[in-house]
Amino acid sequence: AAPRARASADASHADVVGALPVVYRGPNGTPLLDMIASPADIKRLAPTQLRQLAMELRHETLCAVSQTGGHLGSSLGVVELTVALHYVFNAPEDPICWDVSHQVYPHKILTGRRARMSTLRQKGGLSGFAKRSESPYDPFGSGHSSTSI
């Protein structure tokens, strides 16, 4: 009976996997993110819209890094945190310090640098790190780790 149950479980798994799309294409557009030119715009959203904004921001981060390369995992790990920080605090008056500067890609997108993300880590383009000379929203020049210390 055990082999038969296993075969049945495998068949069900194959049916489910076969029904999944081969390539994730992300959200159908970025209507909320398209409305964000600065953190002040995030505050105009209802709290119920923040999850959708985070989904759109995650997709935008994936798209940017897939073009230029970069630090994807640490940026994806802070998408919701980035949305929450900018929703609650008033950057740049309230400085946001990123412990690991690899986390700043979603922050850059929300702070007016979205259109330039295709230049990330390119000569003359956006820095892969927080950079004080790049934006008033980057109050600390940070690097690989422990900036908050």
Side-chain angles (χ1 to χ4, degrees):
R4 194 174 288 167
R6 178 72 179 152
S8 174
D10 287 345
S12 296
H13 176 72
D15 291 341
V16 170
V17 171
L20 294 175
V22 176
V23 176
Y24 173 70
R25 303 231 184 261
N28 292 328
T30 53
L32 295 179
L33 188 57
D34 292 345
M35 297 185 327
I36 307 299
S38 74
D41 298 324
I42 299 169
K43 295 176 185 332
R44 294 187 186 105
L45 298 177
T48 56
Q49 295 176 296
L50 298 180
R51 182 174 295 205
Q52 178 65 34
L53 176 62
M55 287 176 41
E56 294 175 19
L57 182 57
R58 176 173 281 103
H59 181 69
E60 190 80 10
T61 302
L62 280 165
C63 289
V65 174
S66 71
Q67 291 177 3
T68 63
H71 305 95
L72 182 60
S74 51
S75 287
L76 292 181
V78 297
V79 168
E80 288 81 5
L81 174 65
T82 304
V83 169
L85 287 170
H86 283 296
Y87 191 74
V88 172
F89 294 104
N90 295 312
E93 292 82 19
D94 296 325
I96 297 173
C97 178
W98 300 97
D99 186 49
V100 178
S101 205
H102 301 143
Q103 298 168 328
V104 300
Y105 298 172
H107 166 75
K108 286 178 183 262
I109 292 168
L110 294 178
T111 56
R113 294 172 272 183
R114 180 183 184 193
R116 295 190 58 217
M117 288 302 287
S118 63
T119 69
L120 186 67
R121 301 179 66 223
Q122 308 297 308
K123 185 175 181 174
L126 292 176
S127 173
F129 300 110
K131 189 173 183 181
R132 293 170 60 183
S133 63
E134 188 177 283
S135 172
Y137 293 100
D138 295 351
F140 303 96
S142 52
H144 285 91
S145 73
S146 307
T147 303
S148 62
I149 294 174

